[in-house]
Amino acid sequence: MRLPKYFCVLTLAASMFAGHSFAANVEDYAKLNDFGNARLSPDGKYIAVERYDEISSTLIILDAETQKPLTELTLPPHQSIHNAEWANNDTLIFARSQRFGGEEVKKTFGEIIAISADGKRKKYLYGMIGDSSSSAIQKDKGFAKLINTLEHDDKNIIILATDWDKSGLLNTKPSIIKVDIYTGRRDRIAVSPISNPWVTFDLSGNLRFVSGSDENYMPVTYRYIETAKEWQKIEGIQPLGSFFPVQFLPGDKDFLAEISEAGEANCLYLVKQDNSREKLHCEAGVNIGGSMPSSVNGVPLAILSNATNPNVVMLSGDSEDSRLYESISKSFPGEIVVFKDFSSNGERILFSVSSDKKPSRYYLYDRKSNTSRLVFNSKASLDDSMSGTTTGFNFKARDGLTIHGLLTLPSNHVKGKTPMVVMPHGGPLGISDSWYFHNDVQWLVANGYAVLRVNFRGSGGYGENFMRKGYGTWGKEIQYDIIDATNFVADTQTIDKNRICITGGSFGAYSALMSSILAPQIFRCAIGYAGVYDLSMMFKKGDIPATNSGVRYLDLVLGKDQAELAAQSPAARAGELKTPVLLIHGSDDGRTPLPQAQRLEKALRDAGNQPEMLVVPNEGHGFVRTKNRVLYLNALKAFLDKHIGPAKTATK
């Protein structure tokens, strides 16, 4: 096999996707990506991709050979394509998503929609709008998602559908349903024993397992017994341990599973038909990441592992695919190549390339011509020469727990003289920061700031035990992890320890204020963006307490002790906050409503520390309009410049 030696970039039709780089400016960091979520059809003839503009997105299906668009479907404002997958050579399945009422992330409508590659055939398969192609419109009172496109079945897909109950809330036990993509006919396979399950099928499309959490939020897995049409709980799993079947191997007897014995970070195992196990890969304290496909159905090429120091672990040995992957990766030093889709004959591969410095680009490789070509650049105008280098590290917190972090340094970094911004992530539970390109981080780096991010206790990716250590510790141990990480970096004399500020969004905003209360000697200023500042208010306002499950979640992770909630609330301890504060909030925030920021603003004002405040109308939990993202980023930069000063202003 002749390995690729160069990459041929398209210039005509593809030029509208590839674009050119210009000098870095705030708009490049503020706007959404130009493209995303590209998928190659099984026969390799078509590529589906989502193109974004200011407030809407367009589903585009292109001829893979000519790069000419065949179909363009523009969605209503603020809607996006969700979970697009090819069901067969010319039928794409997708859903729609939208941000509702200022929520933190987009939510799907729970629909299943099919469209042909040429756009002439559309079929509404599931959802509340109903299929208008029928004289009697059948509207579904529920929510569904695609869970299997059935590799060897071009006619059917499998969905997971959950009905609404009389109060308008989701019932807890969803149905697993086979759906004909041409007629819409449905055949229910089974009802899941748990809500929101991960469903595992073998390569023949047979239902085998569901995994998830029970009513008490404990990990659980059930095996499906086809002959009896019933579920069998897998016993012998220790408390907080998990047994998570990932995929079956050819022959449908052995499968890969992510297993944690007692809540520690999981490892990848080969589980054989006789239930014996062989450990394939494990990383101390860090969960195994997702798998990468190969040209052979059911045989993964590699796994992606470690969010703070990403690496690719090959599973297929010395195969043609692994040699090709190694060759392509050498053409992108310092970046991570991911094979996304193979054509069924293995002749074409759609792969992505991304790094800490560059957003994702998509390439199409052709084995016959032995060439690759750039087809989409998610941020074509961004000048990545302004980007800084991100390095992962770990350290011991004050109680001995290992904590992971990421430090991004600007290209003009001078040891011991660069000011630093600490940026805790939101969530806080089950969320984590990764090494890959981050708009807000690189905007600050382009303006001369180092940026520290911390995957504190409660973060995802380090095992169930680590995540649960975030329960009830929002204003205590989690903040100590952030403070200890800041001191750890400062002690290395990498940055200027006398010029450190802290900022974050949502829970990150809470952390910015709470950490400044607990360690006023470290932080010269604090910035809260869409933050929660009064924990007791979380039980009364916003979208979380609007559902029974939301209230149960708050009871579990925060508790009901009012004195403790006050002790962990910046608004109740505003008199202890002496550093300058900037509060940025959207008027329509449905997750942390504006009264959260207003209560803290008044408390600070009454304490004699009048904060600066920017309230942006018609924005929710995090800003989505480019002009408002520009306001946010410029306000962030101006406030930091005033209080700790940039090493060098490098943008215009």
Side-chain angles (χ1 to χ4, degrees):
M1 182 187 73
R2 192 161 55 95
L3 298 177
K5 298 180 180 179
Y6 65 94
F7 292 86
C8 176
V9 181
L10 293 184
T11 56
L12 298 177
S15 64
M16 69 173 180
F17 301 106
H20 299 283
S21 293
F22 304 97
N25 58 67
V26 66
E27 286 80 8
D28 289 337
Y29 299 89
K31 72 176 184 177
L32 297 170
N33 287 349
D34 299 321
F35 297 92
N37 305 319
R39 302 307 304 261
L40 180 68
S41 66
D43 59 7
K45 292 183 178 180
Y46 308 112
I47 302 176
V49 70
E50 189 174 4
R51 181 179 65 198
Y52 310 103
D53 61 21
E54 174 65 23
I55 60 173
S56 63
S57 68
T58 300
L59 172 65
I60 304 176
I61 301 177
L62 307 104
D63 183 297
E65 184 64 36
T66 65
Q67 297 295 293
K68 292 181 179 179
L70 301 174
T71 299
E72 296 191 24
L73 177 64
T74 299
L75 300 183
H78 304 296
Q79 294 186 13
S80 298
I81 300 297
H82 177 76
N83 195 27
E85 299 277 354
W86 288 96
N88 55 37
N89 288 335
D90 72 344
T91 304
L92 187 75
I93 308 295
F94 69 96
R96 295 180 301 145
S97 62
Q98 182 174 340
R99 290 178 60 146
F100 293 96
E103 291 175 339
E104 186 171 9
V105 296
K106 294 178 181 179
K107 289 188 176 180
T108 72
F109 291 90
E111 302 166 313
I112 306 293
I113 305 168
I115 186 172
S116 60
D118 60 10
K120 296 179 180 179
R121 175 173 48 83
K122 301 183 182 72
K123 184 69 175 177
Y124 194 90
L125 298 173
Y126 187 99
M128 57 187 176
I129 293 178
D131 184 6
S132 59
S133 65
S134 172
S135 57
I137 298 177
Q138 177 65 43
K139 297 183 178 181
D140 293 296
K141 297 179 180 179
F143 180 97
K145 62 181 179 181
L146 176 68
I147 57 174
N148 196 325
T149 57
L150 296 174
E151 182 82 17
H152 302 295
D153 185 343
D154 289 342
K155 184 179 179 182
N156 297 289
I157 59 173
I158 299 179
I159 67 172
L160 187 72
T162 308
D163 293 335
W164 302 104
D165 64 23
K166 293 180 180 180
S167 64
L169 302 177
L170 285 173
N171 285 322
T172 57
K173 303 299 187 290
S175 296
I176 300 166
I177 303 171
K178 181 179 287 188
V179 180
D180 187 309
I181 63 175
Y182 297 102
T183 67
R185 177 181 173 179
R186 303 173 188 175
D187 294 307
R188 190 170 72 176
I189 300 171
V191 176
S192 171
I194 56 175
S195 61
N196 196 29
W198 170 267
V199 186
T200 306
F201 298 86
D202 62 27
L203 299 182
S204 299
N206 300 307
L207 175 61
R208 302 295 291 268
F209 297 97
V210 295
S211 306
S213 299
D214 62 17
E215 292 82 357
N216 298 313
Y217 299 98
M218 299 296 286
V220 65
T221 297
Y222 288 83
R223 184 192 307 270
Y224 186 65
I225 309 301
E226 172 66 31
T227 54
K229 304 295 182 185
E230 63 182 26
W231 295 98
Q232 180 185 75
K233 185 178 180 180
I234 295 182
E235 304 292 350
I237 300 176
Q238 299 182 41
L240 300 185
S242 60
F243 179 84
F244 191 87
V246 177
Q247 72 174 79
F248 275 80
L249 301 177
D252 287 338
K253 295 179 180 179
D254 303 338
F255 59 90
L256 301 179
E258 297 174 5
I259 299 175
S260 169
E261 296 296 342
E264 75 286 359
N266 63 40
C267 299
L268 184 67
Y269 284 80
L270 170 65
V271 182
K272 299 183 179 180
Q273 188 177 19
D274 60 4
N275 290 324
S276 64
R277 303 175 183 178
E278 176 187 345
K279 186 182 293 186
L280 299 180
H281 186 72
C282 207
E283 294 195 22
V286 181
N287 280 347
I288 295 300
S291 63
M292 193 186 308
S294 73
S295 60
V296 180
N297 182 35
V299 179
L301 176 65
I303 55 173
L304 300 170
S305 198
N306 201 329
T308 53
N309 288 291
N311 60 302
V312 177
V313 180
M314 304 304 294
L315 297 177
S316 294
D318 185 21
S319 66
E320 185 176 4
D321 288 342
S322 63
R323 292 193 297 272
L324 176 62
Y325 179 85
E326 181 181 1
S327 176
I328 291 177
S329 293
K330 288 179 179 178
S331 300
F332 299 96
E335 301 194 78
I336 300 295
V337 172
V338 176
F339 285 176
K340 306 287 288 186
D341 291 312
F342 282 79
S343 61
S344 53
N345 62 6
E347 292 298 324
R348 284 182 170 169
I349 306 171
L350 182 71
F351 66 90
S352 66
V353 183
S354 55
S355 71
D356 54 339
K357 295 183 177 182
K358 297 181 182 181
S360 297
R361 290 94 65 211
Y362 291 91
Y363 291 80
L364 185 64
Y365 171 73
D366 186 276
R367 287 188 194 268
K368 289 183 178 179
S369 63
N370 198 29
T371 58
S372 295
R373 51 190 179 185
L374 174 66
V375 288
F376 309 113
N377 187 337
S378 61
K379 270 187 177 287
S381 61
L382 188 135
D383 181 3
D384 58 75
S385 67
M386 310 295 294
S387 296
T389 300
T390 299
T391 304
F393 65 92
N394 63 72
F395 69 100
K396 295 290 186 182
R398 63 187 65 185
D399 63 355
L401 186 65
T402 298
I403 304 295
H404 294 257
L406 296 146
L407 180 64
T408 306
L409 297 173
S411 58
N412 57 1
H413 165 67
V414 177
K415 185 175 176 61
K417 296 184 178 181
T418 300
M420 184 173 76
V421 180
V422 182
M423 187 180 287
H425 64 70
L429 305 177
I431 307 297
S432 61
D433 282 318
S434 74
W435 171 83
Y436 295 94
F437 182 90
H438 187 292
N439 280 304
D440 294 11
V441 170
Q442 293 296 352
W443 163 246
L444 293 178
V445 167
N447 284 281
Y449 294 97
V451 178
L452 169 65
R453 291 172 289 162
V454 186
N455 284 335
F456 43 76
R457 70 192 66 203
S459 299
Y462 303 96
E464 188 77 11
N465 289 332
F466 187 90
M467 191 271 290
R468 288 175 180 256
K469 288 182 182 296
Y471 289 7
T473 65
W474 289 22
K476 299 183 294 185
E477 282 83 355
I478 286 179
Q479 305 310 317
Y480 300 150
D481 291 345
I482 296 168
I483 293 165
D484 291 350
T486 304
N487 285 327
F488 176 82
V489 172
D491 289 345
T492 65
Q493 301 181 346
T494 302
I495 51 91
D496 186 343
K497 65 180 181 180
N498 296 312
R499 290 195 294 165
I500 301 174
C501 281
I502 183 168
T503 182
S506 192
F507 179 83
Y510 166 87
S511 291
L513 277 296
M514 201 66 207
S515 284
S516 295
I517 290 170
L518 296 174
Q521 74 282 6
I522 297 177
F523 302 109
R524 298 292 176 261
C525 68
I527 303 151
Y529 171 47
V532 53
Y533 309 112
D534 183 338
L535 296 185
S536 64
M537 190 185 292
M538 290 189 72
F539 290 84
K540 305 170 185 175
K541 295 181 181 292
D543 61 343
I544 296 178
T547 64
N548 291 333
S549 61
V551 173
R552 286 182 61 210
Y553 170 80
L554 293 175
D555 288 344
L556 177 67
V557 303
L558 288 178
K560 300 178 182 180
D561 187 317
Q562 292 300 310
E564 186 63 30
L565 291 174
Q568 296 189 47
S569 294
R573 300 179 62 175
E576 302 173 59
L577 190 57
K578 306 301 182 183
T579 56
V581 173
L582 168 64
L583 300 177
I584 304 173
H585 222 92
S587 65
D588 299 338
D589 194 327
R591 175 57 53 88
T592 58
L594 183 58
Q596 284 277 2
Q598 291 171 330
R599 180 166 295 184
L600 179 60
E601 188 273 338
K602 182 181 184 303
L604 286 170
R605 176 165 31 92
D606 291 346
N609 183 12
Q610 177 67 55
E612 296 184 33
M613 194 164 181
L614 172 64
V615 178
V616 178
N618 303 315
E619 285 286 5
H621 197 62
F623 303 164
V624 295
R625 295 170 178 84
T626 300
K627 66 177 183 179
N628 294 333
R629 286 268 305 151
V630 168
L631 278 177
Y632 156 64
L633 291 176
N634 279 334
L636 181 65
K637 174 183 178 299
F639 193 76
L640 292 170
D641 286 353
K642 179 166 65 173
H643 293 288
I644 57 175
K648 178 180 179 182
T649 300
T651 60
K652 62 178 183 178

